[in-house]
Amino acid sequence: MAGLELSKEKQEKLKEMETTCIRNRQVLLSNEANSKFQEFMEQITANIKNRIKSIDT
């Protein structure tokens, strides 16, 4: 992600951890809630930007 190369062993461990997390319902629900929250925040930001633009013009 940050341009760092992971060893084959670390890549396999990461895949294993991802699989474990995906199978955990609580993690899955938390991820879904976080995604929806981020989308909501993006909508709020867009609305604020539009409101600012409408005031400026």
Side-chain angles (χ1 to χ4, degrees), residues 12 16 19 22-23 25 28 41 51:
E12 289 175 10
E16 183 181 311
T19 301
I22 290 171
R23 288 182 181 156
R25 182 149 172 79
L28 193 59
M41 293 305 293
R51 181 68 177 142

Side-chain angles (χ1 to χ4, degrees), residues 40-52:
F40 178 64
M41 293 305 293
E42 288 173 13
Q43 290 175 353
I44 290 172
T45 301
N47 287 339
I48 292 170
K49 286 180 182 179
N50 288 337
R51 181 68 177 142
I52 290 171

